[in-house]
Amino acid sequence: MVSEKIIVALIVVAILLSVVSIAVTISTVNTKMIPRFSNLNLPDEDSGRVSLRISPTPEGFGAG
Amino acid sequence: MENRTLYILAFLAVSVAVINLSVTYLKINDFREAFSGFAASDTGTINITVLGSVNINFIRNAIDWGTGVVYTNNSNPNATLTTRGNGQGLVVGGNWSSSGVYGLIIANNGSVNVTLNLSTDKNHTDLFGVAPSGLSALQWNITDKDSGSCAGGNLALNTFYDVNKTVSEIACTQLGSASSKNEIFLDFYIMIPADYDAAAKANLNQQVAIYANATVAP
């Protein structure tokens, strides 16, 4: 026949597993069902410009 | 017989517990993607975290010097074109018009302080070729438009530095987001040598692109 110690051990294991199940449920709900946003602070970029045009200069040309 | 019944019941309890644990974990993981955010009842509480936004803008985005010539009757013939923030540009040694020419303005219009990097697509040699006289330059200078806007970075404020198109310079480690201190001037000093590469560069519309890149400041 099966000993009473084994039966008690099995019942204890069942209780522990149930407790673990509750803990896993709570922790999983807290960590995975609430959406976690990744960092949305994406880089931004803009541009400006500097422009000019050079006309050929006659030799010795100046403001005088 | 009684012990055997208890054994069977205990074994079933353990099995059910194991199955319970597995199903709970797997099903909650399935829920993760389909979570709607709707409350199960007609009242609920939503916690919202407003994240910062990064938004960098050139609110004055062009410096156009138009067309001009370099005076060659000086001992060291060259022309210099300088912008000075909101002050009118300055032309020396040439006849470019400074009318309506002002420095660029960069603003942090986001909600967080940013690190500002600046880069260009040209050096002075791209604009003028290699001048034997060496009287050639393309430099930039950052100044606070709003006092206290820019802090840190590799470019000291109020100082002209040579532009290097191969380097993205950290202009400000911290560019503020508060409306009273979120704007800087980006001025340019251009030295045009009289001995520029006229064959390749004369009568050519030259344009230097300036790129501002902002990321969340540390």
Side-chain angles (χ1 to χ4, degrees):
Chain A
M1 295 303 290
V2 179
S3 75
E4 285 187 9
K5 285 184 179 178
I6 292 176
I7 294 170
V8 170
L10 285 172
I11 292 173
V12 168
V13 167
I15 292 170
L16 288 177
L17 284 173
S18 295
V19 170
V20 170
S21 176
I22 291 168
V24 167
T25 301
I26 292 171
S27 68
T28 310
V29 165
N30 282 338
T31 59
K32 295 192 173 178
M33 289 187 69
I34 299 171
R36 294 284 182 189
F37 289 100
S38 58
N39 189 353
L40 294 180
N41 293 319
L42 300 174
D44 190 30
E45 188 170 284
D46 197 9
S47 64
R49 64 182 173 84
V50 179
S51 56
L52 78 161
R53 182 185 176 102
I54 312 171
S55 291
T57 314
E59 190 63 31
F61 180 79
Chain B
M1 188 63 185
E2 189 177 343
N3 273 359
R4 185 175 180 81
T5 303
L6 279 174
Y7 174 77
I8 292 170
L9 285 174
F11 182 79
L12 282 174
V14 171
S15 302
V16 169
V18 169
I19 292 168
N20 176 30
L21 183 63
S22 305
V23 169
T24 300
Y25 182 77
L26 292 174
K27 287 300 176 186
I28 287 179
N29 265 324
D30 290 344
F31 249 103
R32 186 180 176 189
E33 300 299 330
F35 185 60
S36 69
F38 288 111
S41 64
D42 60 355
T43 59
T45 302
I46 301 173
N47 293 322
I48 297 175
T49 301
V50 179
L51 299 173
S53 64
V54 176
N55 184 3
I56 198 78
N57 292 114
F58 277 90
I59 59 175
R60 186 186 291 148
N61 64 1
I63 297 171
D64 187 358
W65 286 104
T67 304
V69 301
V70 181
Y71 297 157
T72 56
N73 64 344
N74 304 318
S75 56
N76 289 315
N78 67 80
T80 58
L81 314 177
T82 312
T83 59
R84 301 181 293 182
N86 276 339
Q88 184 165 296
L90 181 66
V91 178
V92 176
N95 69 349
W96 281 265
S97 171
S98 60
S99 177
V101 178
Y102 304 100
L104 303 177
I105 300 174
I106 300 173
N108 174 11
N109 289 326
S111 60
V112 293
N113 288 6
V114 297
T115 296
L116 176 68
N117 283 66
L118 294 176
S119 58
T120 71
D121 66 344
K122 287 185 176 69
N123 293 330
H124 65 94
T125 51
D126 296 312
L127 292 175
F128 314 122
V130 177
S133 68
L135 300 172
S136 174
L138 174 63
Q139 299 181 337
W140 55 16
N141 172 24
I142 295 167
T143 53
D144 279 336
K145 180 171 183 288
D146 301 328
S147 180
S149 295
C150 178
N154 296 334
L155 306 175
L157 296 178
N158 309 311
T159 307
F160 278 99
Y161 290 91
D162 286 326
V163 169
N164 184 346
K165 69 178 181 182
T166 63
V167 176
S168 179
E169 293 283 6
I170 300 173
C172 308
T173 306
Q174 296 275 346
L175 176 58
S177 59
S179 60
S180 60
K181 50 180 182 180
N182 67 334
E183 295 182 349
I184 59 170
F185 288 117
L186 180 60
D187 287 306
F188 284 85
Y189 171 84
I190 304 172
M191 181 185 285
I192 307 167
D195 56 350
Y196 70 97
D197 183 359
K201 306 296 182 183
N203 291 322
L204 187 68
N205 289 324
Q206 305 260 39
Q207 185 164 298
V208 182
I210 316 300
Y211 303 105
N213 181 280
T215 54
V216 177

